[in-house]
């Protein structure tokens, strides 16, 4: 069933604002890396959503299980990220103020609230819920491959020091910043790398499924 023009237009405006405002907030609060990762994922998600879900929402029995499995994998992945100090590790890697408090606020508190509402929205076939789902499939889904690249990047802060460090970055005190640089630790690992594949598998499959469903709809 096709959504109304008014609903499509309103959803478009909100989605475009999200693509602009969220990366901007990330840049102001943390720095450039969130703009590249979050902003890039949001733009790709926008096009995926525009061509697959916006005008013709996918049936809940198709997209809802994929979204739930992706979020479940993501939340499991976030547990490893928290235990291994993902926020502080990123702070040391890029010299940005990403504290554990802000990490938990976004990924452990605000995120699950949005995911819960999105589940309801997908069930009701609301266009905007499809945009959030596409963002999750691409952002915390496909983009998790960056965990396998981070160990190869030399940290901006004391790359040759294998020990965790603490310091103030842009007025924010960041404690216990671990170093996962491969050349220093001689161990190929970065915070969250072991479970990064958990949201990637259902996320990538969901993208393929959305595209195939849309192609099938066009032929019929």
């Amino acid at each position: 069933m096709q959504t109304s023009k008014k609903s499509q237009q309103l959803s478009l405006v909100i989605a475009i604002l999200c693509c602009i405002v969220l990366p901007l907030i990330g840049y102001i609060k943390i720095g450039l890396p969130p703009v590249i990762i979050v902003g890039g994922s949001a733009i790709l998600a926008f096009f995926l959503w525009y061509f697959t879900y916006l005008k013709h929402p996918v049936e809940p029995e198709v997209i809802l299980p994929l979204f739930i499995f992706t979020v479940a994998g993501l939340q499991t992945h976030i547990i490893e990220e928290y235990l291994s100090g993902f926020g502080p590790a990123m702070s040391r890697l890029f010299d940005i103020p990403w504290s554990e408090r802000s990490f938990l606020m976004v990924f452990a508190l605000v995120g699950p609230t949005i995911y819960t509402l999105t589940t309801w929205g997908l069930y009701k076939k609301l266009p905007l819920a499809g945009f959030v789902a596409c963002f999750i499939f691409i952002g915390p889904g496909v983009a998790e491959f960056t965990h396998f690249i981070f160990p190869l990047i030399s940290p901006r802060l004391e790359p040759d020091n294998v020990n965790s460090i603490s310091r103030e970055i842009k007025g924010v005190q960041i404690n216990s910043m671990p170093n996962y640089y491969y050349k220093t630790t001689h161990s190929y690992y970065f915070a969250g790398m072991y479970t990064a594949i958990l949201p990637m598998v259902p996320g990538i499959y969901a993208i393929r499924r959305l595209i195939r469903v849309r192609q099938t709809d066009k032929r019929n």
Side-chain angles (χ1 to χ4, degrees):
M1 182 180 69
Q2 185 170 356
T3 54
S4 66
K5 289 291 184 181
K6 183 177 181 180
S7 179
Q8 290 179 32
Q9 292 171 353
L10 179 60
S11 299
L12 271 172
V13 170
I14 296 175
I16 291 172
L17 286 175
C18 287
C19 290
I20 297 173
V21 174
L22 293 181
L24 182 60
I25 292 175
Y27 177 74
I28 294 173
K29 294 291 185 179
I30 300 177
L32 187 59
V35 176
I36 297 173
I37 298 174
V38 177
S41 298
I43 292 172
L44 292 175
F46 177 86
F47 285 106
L48 174 66
W49 168 71
Y50 183 85
F51 289 109
T52 62
Y53 195 97
L54 174 60
K55 297 178 182 179
H56 300 276
V58 177
E59 293 298 323
E61 56 264 31
V62 174
I63 192 172
L64 197 48
L66 296 173
F67 178 74
I68 291 173
F69 282 128
T70 304
V71 168
L74 173 61
Q75 292 304 110
T76 303
H77 170 59
I78 288 172
I79 293 173
E80 184 195 352
E81 286 188 326
Y82 171 70
L83 293 176
S84 52
F86 179 77
M90 291 289 283
S91 295
R92 183 169 183 173
L93 188 62
F94 295 111
D95 191 15
I96 56 176
W98 196 350
S99 64
E100 281 193 348
R101 183 176 183 272
S102 61
F103 173 84
L104 289 173
M105 182 63 67
V106 173
F107 292 106
L109 299 175
V110 176
T113 302
I114 295 174
Y115 308 151
T116 302
L117 294 174
T118 301
T119 301
W120 175 81
L122 293 174
Y123 176 73
K124 290 293 187 179
K125 300 171 72 172
L126 301 180
L128 194 59
F131 171 72
V132 178
C134 288
F135 176 76
I136 297 301
F137 296 149
I138 291 178
V142 179
E144 294 295 346
F145 81 90
T146 53
H147 283 71
F148 300 94
I149 298 175
F150 290 148
L152 303 175
I153 302 175
S154 177
R156 297 280 298 276
L157 303 177
E158 300 186 29
D160 298 325
N161 181 0
V162 73
N163 298 311
S164 295
I165 61 174
S166 300
R167 70 174 54 177
E168 187 176 284
I169 303 176
K170 297 180 181 179
V172 179
Q173 180 65 28
I174 308 296
N175 297 317
S176 303
M177 293 184 284
N179 185 1
Y180 289 114
Y181 186 34
Y182 174 73
K183 289 186 177 181
T184 299
T185 64
H186 304 293
S187 176
Y188 191 78
Y189 177 76
F190 193 84
M193 193 176 76
Y194 290 149
T195 55
I197 196 170
L198 294 181
M200 286 179 66
V201 172
I204 293 172
Y205 179 74
I207 293 170
R208 291 184 59 191
R209 189 71 188 277
L210 284 173
I211 294 173
R212 283 161 54 185
V213 167
R214 183 59 184 141
Q215 289 174 339
T216 301
D217 289 343
K218 283 184 175 181
R219 288 195 297 266
N220 295 336

